[in-house]
Amino acid sequence: MINMQRVYFATGNPHKVEEAKLILRDYNVELMHLNTQRVEIQSSDLVEIAVYSLNQIVKDFKQPVFVEDTGLFINSLNGFPGPFSSYVFKTLGNKGIIKLMKGEADRNALFKTVIAFKESDRDQIKIFIGETLGLISEEIRGVGWGYDPLFIPLEGDGRTYAEMSLEEKNLLSHRFKALKSLGDYLRKV
Ligand code: ITT
């Protein structure tokens, strides 16, 4: 058997881990879940949030580890909720977003994932980014986590992420694209 490379994913979100495990398996990465408490700063920049978050973890964790920060940027709302996606999901939820978008013709949106990775103490932080364009659906469609029931990727066939299987979402998602770049990088080092 080929040796798997062990990499830790620091997140409180088990759905992210489930997706990332499958994706990184193709790169011979054995993904481990590191469920740590962190302070998440408020910033308009996903990279700044991810780097701050990773820096807290690597203070006392010395294995290869990454964090990721994801945002849903809605065109007609000038990029809202973007870096505040987690807070907005907890407060307004998908129903609130649908309400905000009622009667809005421009349904364009972007899902963006920023991964911040550090291999060891000596290494610099590496950033990997993945983006998927899509449309915000008029109603909740499918059973999925987070904003999945609202997001219709343009590369798909008109279904929301929540109407797809995990494998289907993993072929075109923002997270897949960021993890693919991480996987390609790990293959080279
Ligand atoms: P960690 O920071 O601990 O990783 P989190 O769930 O708070 O977990 P984010 O801040 O990156 O992660 O997520 C922002 C929000 O976007 C949050 O409400 C997620 O549920 C949602 N989200 C992130 N990725 C998503 C995806 O692939 N599909 C649907 N919703 C997603």
Side-chain angles (χ1 to χ4, degrees), residues 9-16 19 33-36 38 40 46 49 53 67-72 81-90 94 111-114 144-151 161 169 173-175:
F9 183 5
T11 173
N13 186 328
H15 304 289
K16 288 183 175 182
E19 292 182 6
H33 185 191
L34 184 67
N35 200 347
T36 52
R38 280 162 295 138
E40 194 165 292
L46 295 184
I49 298 170
S53 198
V67 300
E68 61 125 283
D69 202 60
T70 293
L72 176 65
F84 312 108
S85 293
S86 181
Y87 179 71
V88 169
F89 187 76
K90 280 185 218 135
N94 287 333
F111 238 133
K112 180 171 177 176
T113 290
V114 170
W145 61 279
Y147 297 105
D148 276 359
L150 287 190
F151 191 79
Y161 273 161
K169 180 185 173 190
S173 79
H174 47 292
R175 178 159 300 101

Side-chain angles (χ1 to χ4, degrees), residues 94 98 107 136-142 148-152 160 163:
N94 287 333
I98 286 173
R107 317 290 302 180
I136 300 298
S137 109
E138 310 260 352
E139 71 278 310
I140 288 172
R141 282 177 20 202
D148 276 359
L150 287 190
F151 191 79
I152 307 166
T160 63
E163 292 173 307

Side-chain angles (χ1 to χ4, degrees), residues 7 10 19 42 58 71 78 87 95 158 160 179 185:
V7 173
E19 292 182 6
Q42 291 291 6
V58 297
N78 297 326
Y87 179 71
K95 282 196 180 137
T160 63
L179 287 166
Y185 170 78

Side-chain angles (χ1 to χ4, degrees), residues 25-38:
R25 210 168 56 188
D26 289 346
Y27 293 86
N28 278 321
V29 171
E30 184 189 6
L31 190 73
M32 311 298 287
H33 185 191
L34 184 67
N35 200 347
T36 52
Q37 290 292 322
R38 280 162 295 138

Side-chain angles (χ1 to χ4, degrees), residues 119-150:
E119 188 135 30
S120 79
D121 259 4
R122 300 177 306 276
D123 292 303
Q124 304 241 329
I125 291 178
K126 296 263 176 341
I127 300 292
F128 303 96
I129 297 177
E131 296 183 341
T132 296
L133 287 166
L135 300 171
I136 300 298
S137 109
E138 310 260 352
E139 71 278 310
I140 288 172
R141 282 177 20 202
V143 182
W145 61 279
Y147 297 105
D148 276 359
L150 287 190

